[in-house]
Amino acid sequence: MTVPTSKKDIMIVNMGPHHPSMHGVLRLIVTLDGEDVIDCEPIVGYLHRGMEKIAENQTIIQYLPYVTRWDYLATMFTEAITVNGPEQLGNIQVPKRASYIRVIMLELSRIASHLLWLGPFMADIGAQTPFFYIFRERELIYDLFEAATGMRMMHNYFRIGGVAADLPYGWIDKCLDFCDYFLIGLTEYQKLITRNPIFLERVENVGIIGGEEALNWGLSGPMLRASGIEWDLRKVDHYECYDEFDWEVQWQKEGDSLARYLIRIGEMAESIKIIQQALEGIPGGPYENLEIRRFNRKKYPEWNDFEYRFISKKPSPAFELSKQELYVRAEAPKGELGIFLIGDQSVFPWRWKIRPPGFINLQILPQLVKKMKLADIMTILGSIDIIMGEVDR
C-alpha cells in the first residue's frame, strides 16, 4: 500500500468487513486525505470455505448441493457450470426439452441476481425505495423456483445429462404471467431511477473503465460490455440452445457506473424475451438423458484401497471423469463463470479450479477509486456487483 510521506493529515480507515455497503465480508483499507481517496487495498478471504478442495473429494452428484453457495444469488449458474464440465468430458447429449428448461431457469436466475444487485446498489447511493420494490418480483421468481425444484434459493436441480425433474403442471402458464407482470415492473424502475437527477449525479462519469483497460484486467460480463466491447458467452460459445432465440447483447460505450446500470436493466428485459420464446417453443420428450445412469463399473471398486462394500453409506451413482483436462465457462450475471477441470479416470475430479467473475472484476477496484471521493467508493463497488461467496470460495 502506497502512503505518501509528505502529508501529515493522512487518515487510514477500515471499511468493512461488517459494513452493510460492502455486500458481504469484504474489508477495504482506505487511505484518505480529507475526503479524497489516496489508496485502497481490498482484503478478501473472510468467507473462504475450501470449495475447490471439497470438489476434489466428492463425486459430481455429491458436490452439486455445495455449488449454490458460491454465488448464492445466481444459484442456477453455479449448478449449470458444474454439470456442463462432466457433460463435455464424457460427450453426453442433453435432451432438447432439458436444454430449454435449463435456459428458462438460468434466465430467471439472471433476473433474480440483477434485481438483488439493483436494490442494494440504489440503497448504497441514497435511494431506499427501489430496495423494497425489487423484493416483489424476486419473490415471484423464487415461487417459480420452489414449484419446479422444491427449494427457493439452493435448488440442486441440474443433473449430468439434464435436470432433476420435469416442470410441474401449470408452471409454464404461471411463468408467462410473471413475464408480463415483470415488464410492467421494469418500466416502473426505469421511470423511478434512470432520469433521476440525484442518481445521475452519483453515477455519471464515476468509475470509468476504457475498453482496452477492461480487456487487460480480464473483466467480463456487464463490466466489460459497459466499456464498449460486445462480448457475451451466450453468443460466443453457443452453449445450451441460446442460438434458437432472438435476443440482443446489451452494451454501452461510456464505461462508467451509469453504463453498467443500463446494461443490467437491459439484460433483464432481454432475459424476459428469451424466457417467453423458450416457454412458447418448449418441445416434448425426456428431461434427462437416462443412458448416463448405466455405468460400466467393477463389482467392488476400490477407493483409496478401501473397498466400497465396507462403507455403510453407499454413495449416489457416480460418473467417471475421463483422463483429460477442460475449461468450461458460462455467462453468469456477474461475468464469465468458469471451471478448469482435470479428470483422472476416477469418480472424483483430480483438479477443480473455479474462475469466479466477481473475484476477477474486483481487482480493478483500487485503481478506480484512487483520486475519487470517499462516497464514490460505494458507487463504484456497487456497480462492480460482487458476491463474497464466489470471491472467497
Side-chain angles (χ1 to χ4, degrees), residues 90-328:
N91 198 21
I92 292 160
Q93 299 305 309
V94 178
K96 188 65 127 195
R97 182 177 180 84
S99 190
Y100 269 69
I101 293 172
R102 281 181 177 187
V103 165
I104 293 164
M105 293 300 175
L106 288 173
E107 293 309 311
L108 282 172
S109 198
R110 188 184 309 278
I111 294 169
S113 174
H114 282 339
L115 282 172
L116 206 57
W117 162 80
L118 178 65
F121 175 65
M122 295 307 297
D124 285 348
I125 59 178
Q128 202 65 48
T129 311
F131 185 65
F132 301 115
Y133 281 16
I134 58 122
F135 286 102
R136 300 173 308 185
E137 285 84 13
R138 188 167 162 271
E139 282 301 304
L140 293 174
I141 292 174
Y142 280 10
D143 288 342
L144 289 169
F145 282 158
E146 188 179 12
T149 71
M151 298 279 274
R152 294 177 77 78
M153 271 188 87
M154 314 294 180
H155 314 291
N156 193 14
Y157 185 60
F158 282 54
R159 292 287 182 275
I160 297 171
V163 291
D166 207 348
L167 298 175
Y169 178 77
W171 193 92
I172 289 175
D173 295 333
K174 279 270 183 290
C175 194
L176 282 167
D177 291 346
F178 164 76
C179 290
D180 296 335
Y181 172 76
F182 181 75
L183 288 172
I184 299 164
L186 196 59
T187 315
E188 197 175 66
Y189 291 134
Q190 287 170 300
K191 272 188 196 165
L192 190 65
I193 302 167
T194 309
R195 290 199 179 86
N196 184 306
I198 304 171
F199 169 72
L200 291 175
E201 196 73 34
R202 290 298 304 271
V203 294
E204 257 185 315
N205 300 321
V206 171
I208 297 173
I209 309 170
E212 195 176 335
E213 196 181 6
L215 286 172
N216 291 341
W217 279 95
L219 305 183
S220 57
M223 291 286 289
L224 180 65
R225 289 192 289 276
S227 301
I229 290 160
E230 213 173 330
W231 177 267
D232 191 308
L233 294 177
R234 292 172 288 176
K235 292 277 193 195
V236 175
D237 283 1
H238 313 288
Y239 65 94
E240 296 302 350
C241 51
Y242 281 105
D243 285 351
E244 297 177 24
F245 309 123
D246 176 34
W247 60 281
E248 301 295 323
V249 175
Q250 296 295 305
W251 64 287
Q252 300 280 333
K253 296 192 291 289
E254 291 76 21
D256 58 1
S257 298
L258 176 63
R260 297 192 271 280
Y261 156 81
L262 291 171
I263 280 175
R264 291 186 179 105
I265 289 285
E267 276 188 5
M268 288 196 271
E270 292 303 312
S271 289
I272 288 290
K273 250 162 74 175
I274 294 170
I275 294 165
Q276 285 174 327
Q277 291 172 65
L279 289 168
E280 280 156 15
I282 190 166
Y287 60 87
E288 187 180 29
N289 182 355
L290 294 175
E291 286 299 309
I292 65 147
R293 286 184 180 269
R294 299 177 183 177
F295 301 102
N296 299 318
R297 305 290 293 157
K298 290 177 282 183
K299 194 171 183 189
Y300 291 120
E302 288 185 350
W303 171 54
N304 291 356
D305 299 323
F306 191 88
E307 294 190 350
Y308 270 133
R309 65 175 181 272
F310 296 123
I311 299 176
S312 59
K313 187 183 174 189
K314 294 285 187 283
S316 53
F319 175 80
E320 197 172 87
L321 300 164
S322 58
K323 201 175 176 101
Q324 52 179 311
E325 57 185 64
L326 173 77
Y327 176 69
V328 60

Side-chain angles (χ1 to χ4, degrees), residues 74-86:
T75 45
M76 290 292 184
F77 289 89
T78 55
E79 290 184 23
I81 202 79
T82 306
V83 298
N84 283 354

Side-chain angles (χ1 to χ4, degrees), residues 12-30:
I12 295 175
V13 179
N14 259 310
M15 292 183 75
H18 50 249
H19 192 290
S21 290
M22 290 293 107
H23 303 289
V25 283
L26 171 66
R27 177 180 169 212
L28 300 178
I29 300 175
V30 186

Side-chain angles (χ1 to χ4, degrees), residues 25 45-55 63 65-72 78 154 354 387-393:
V25 283
Y46 292 99
L47 200 55
H48 174 62
R49 293 163 291 181
M51 282 297 181
E52 291 167 356
K53 283 297 157 216
I54 291 172
Y63 183 56
Y66 285 82
V67 299
T68 46
R69 274 78 176 170
W70 308 343
D71 181 352
Y72 37 82
T78 55
M154 314 294 180
I354 305 161
I387 283 290
M388 294 313 289
E390 66 170 11
V391 171
D392 292 341
R393 306 188 292 297

